[in-house]
Amino acid sequence: MYNPPLFREDRPEILHAILREARLAILVSAGADGVPEATHLPLQFAAGEGPHGTLYGHLAKANPHWRALAAAGRARAIFMGPEAYVSPSFYASKKEHGKVVPTWNYVAVHAIGVVEVFEDAARLHALVDRLTNHHEAPRATPWAVDDAPGDFIASQLKGIVGLRMEIATLIGKRKLSQNRPEQDRHGVVEGLGNSEDARDRDVAALMQRGG
């Protein structure tokens, strides 16, 4: 990921928060034909396991990517935070000299590490329990894996493989108009804050909090 120093984010608490808040990640690894393999999947972050934490998830056994992951032994997980298109019309400097162009503000974290793929039924059951409880927790009446018949769950587990990735490197980027003059940044906050798109307003709120 291209990451100029002005946009670089190294604070562990910020990086960890982005990993926890991301709803879906992209897992990328080397492919046998030289073209990277990629899978969209939820990954749960666990701090305190390894130098930068550990990611947990699972893939369908029918997805050939898991074999590429096992062969490569390493992967990159990409997590996206808030993002928004920034119009040149937001900038105060547009009125001054007009030398402005569109851009995109966004937050992203890349996690790189060693991958373990496993098929053990007990580990898979524990993993599915863990992921389900995490995502069901906000619901008033959470669904639990044990709500389904045991034999049905056992059959479903045969169709997935587990994934554990110990993070060796975390790369954080928060591109939030830090390269623009203060008046331009205020214009971006105002422009995005008045947008009808909630995603734009999320970026404005993040910028207002100091990026």
Side-chain angles (χ1 to χ4, degrees), residues 139-154:
R139 296 175 54 81
T141 54
W143 181 85
V145 172
D146 289 343
D147 289 349
D151 56 348
F152 171 74
I153 295 298

Side-chain angles (χ1 to χ4, degrees), residues 74-88:
R74 290 176 59 81
R76 178 186 297 249
I78 302 171
F79 298 81
M80 287 298 300
E83 45 84 16
Y85 170 75
V86 177
S87 169

Side-chain angles (χ1 to χ4, degrees), residues 23-147:
R23 294 164 60 90
L24 197 68
I26 302 175
L27 187 67
V28 182
S29 67
D33 58 359
V35 177
E37 296 272 6
T39 296
H40 298 258
L41 76 171
L43 290 172
Q44 187 182 13
F45 173 68
E49 299 183 28
H52 296 287
T54 299
L55 297 172
Y56 290 93
H58 59 80
L59 296 84
K61 191 172 287 187
N63 181 351
H65 189 190
W66 73 268
R67 297 186 187 278
L69 285 165
R74 290 176 59 81
R76 178 186 297 249
I78 302 171
F79 298 81
M80 287 298 300
E83 45 84 16
Y85 170 75
V86 177
S87 169
S89 300
F90 295 156
Y91 297 147
S93 56
K94 175 182 178 294
K95 299 175 183 178
E96 297 172 13
H97 50 67
K99 297 176 181 179
V100 291
V101 294
T103 190
W104 213 279
N105 278 2
Y106 63 92
V107 174
V109 174
H110 288 207
I112 302 168
V114 176
V115 172
E116 176 196 4
V117 175
F118 57 89
E119 300 180 67
D120 177 76
R123 288 187 70 186
L124 286 173
H125 197 292
L127 171 65
V128 171
D129 268 337
R130 176 180 188 153
L131 296 175
T132 300
N133 293 342
H134 172 71
H135 292 290
E136 288 282 337
R139 296 175 54 81
T141 54
W143 181 85
V145 172
D146 289 343
D147 289 349

